Amino acid sequence: MRGGCGRTPKPLRVIELPTSIDLRPIDDLLPFARNSRTHSEEQILQIVASIERFGWTNPVLVGSDGVIIAGHARVLAAQRIKPPLEVVPVIVLGHLTEDE
């Protein structure tokens, strides 16, 4: 081991990585009931403008039950685009427990 101090390196931790991005109907996505983040109308309209200009660049994160973990504002923006988007890209984080 070069430059080490003689310690044995820790084994690598296996990290769960998403393997796909799916398209899900917006109507199938459920807002997380205890979501503490709120977004003003101005913020939602800024996200609408960003999606219209650059496309969808950041998938919504959902649990295997369809509950939104991250991306509530993106989903709201997708509903405001004219015409509204019917599906959005999602990454399903099926390995998380309800507490996580």
Side-chain angles (χ1 to χ4, degrees):
M1 178 172 15
R2 292 185 345 202
C5 59
R7 288 184 280 179
T8 304
K10 292 180 182 178
L12 292 177
R13 185 170 61 112
V14 175
I15 297 175
E16 194 74 35
L17 297 174
T19 57
S20 66
I21 297 175
D22 301 329
L23 292 177
R24 289 265 176 104
I26 287 180
D27 294 340
D28 290 354
L29 303 180
L30 306 168
F32 179 58
R34 295 182 307 209
N35 181 29
S36 60
R37 296 195 68 186
T38 59
H39 301 280
S40 69
E41 182 68 16
E42 181 181 357
Q43 289 172 316
I44 300 300
L45 293 176
Q46 288 173 342
I47 296 168
V48 167
S50 175
I51 293 170
E52 289 176 335
R53 180 163 182 195
F54 304 111
W56 199 286
T57 61
N58 192 3
V60 176
L61 303 181
V62 298
S64 54
D65 55 2
V67 173
I68 300 169
I69 296 168
H72 293 82
R74 281 170 270 156
V75 171
L76 291 172
Q79 294 168 328
R80 305 264 175 90
I81 290 174
K82 301 294 182 204
L85 299 179
E86 295 179 17
V87 296
V88 295
V90 301
I91 294 176
V92 179
L93 302 177
H95 64 284
L96 298 179
T97 67
E98 188 172 323
D99 290 336
E100 293 174 323

